Amino acid sequence: MMKVKIYVTLRESVLDPQGTAVKSSLHAMNYHEVQDVRIGKYLEVTIAPSDRPIDEVVREMCEKLLANTVIEDFEYEVEEAITQ
Amino acid sequence: MMKVKIYVTLRESVLDPQGTAVKSSLHAMNYHEVQDVRIGKYLEVTIAPSDRPIDEVVREMCEKLLANTVIEDFEYEVEEAITQ
């Protein structure tokens, strides 16, 4: 079993209204040192071994379902082999 | 300027209906090797230097606003010093 950590972020050029709202809240709470906030998704996916390479499987899942590649980028790390 | 990466995840004991829905979708797309999916938030926060230690500021922001510590855990990494 492999644990894969996937980070999905909005592309640089895409506005992030959720991040802007959080930044405003932090400023209202007197955290004026905060310059910018960008919000994305973080997924932990546990994958059993199959006959296909894990990189191929993860990349395909991200492109088809987990990220909208028009406006989002994704990165991932294959974290650990969990012994059964 | 420091870039801080913050990961907010649901605690182990808390049900994750969004993760369960994504797992079902992946199974419906024939990714039967997927055993589990947990979904969290990923934030990139840019912070200017202040007179308080960055760890103290980040921890406080997470506890007060970014994570609901009753049901969520958070981790963070102070990533890099961005030269101005």
Side-chain angles (χ1 to χ4, degrees), chain A residues 7-72:
Chain A
Y7 313 94
V8 180
T9 49
L10 281 173
R11 287 176 181 243
E12 285 284 322
S13 55
V14 178
L15 285 176
D16 178 5
Q18 196 188 358
T20 307
V22 168
K23 187 174 87 171
S24 300
S25 297
L26 288 169
H27 285 178
M29 293 164 74
N30 282 316
Y31 294 107
H32 295 293
E33 56 269 66
V34 173
Q35 302 289 304
D36 193 33
V37 179
R38 301 281 290 178
I39 299 186
K41 279 176 288 182
Y42 169 63
L43 297 95
E44 287 180 351
V45 183
T46 310
I47 301 183
S50 71
D51 47 356
R52 296 175 59 199
I54 185 132
D55 284 300
E56 188 184 307
V57 173
V58 172
R59 197 165 283 278
E60 209 181 81
M61 289 191 317
C62 286
E63 282 165 2
K64 285 194 185 165
L65 182 73
L66 305 177
N68 173 354
T69 53
V70 177
I71 55 166
E72 291 172 329

Side-chain angles (χ1 to χ4, degrees), chain A residues 1 7 9 22 29 31 33-40 42-48 50 60 64 66, chain B residues 1 7 9 22 29 31 33-40 42-48 50 60 64 66:
Chain A
M1 299 281 234
Y7 313 94
T9 49
V22 168
M29 293 164 74
Y31 294 107
E33 56 269 66
V34 173
Q35 302 289 304
D36 193 33
V37 179
R38 301 281 290 178
I39 299 186
Y42 169 63
L43 297 95
E44 287 180 351
V45 183
T46 310
I47 301 183
S50 71
E60 209 181 81
K64 285 194 185 165
L66 305 177
Chain B
M1 298 280 234
Y7 313 95
T9 49
V22 169
M29 292 164 75
Y31 294 107
E33 57 269 67
V34 173
Q35 303 289 302
D36 193 33
V37 179
R38 302 281 290 177
I39 298 186
Y42 169 64
L43 295 95
E44 286 179 352
V45 183
T46 311
I47 301 183
S50 71
E60 210 182 79
K64 286 194 184 165
L66 305 177

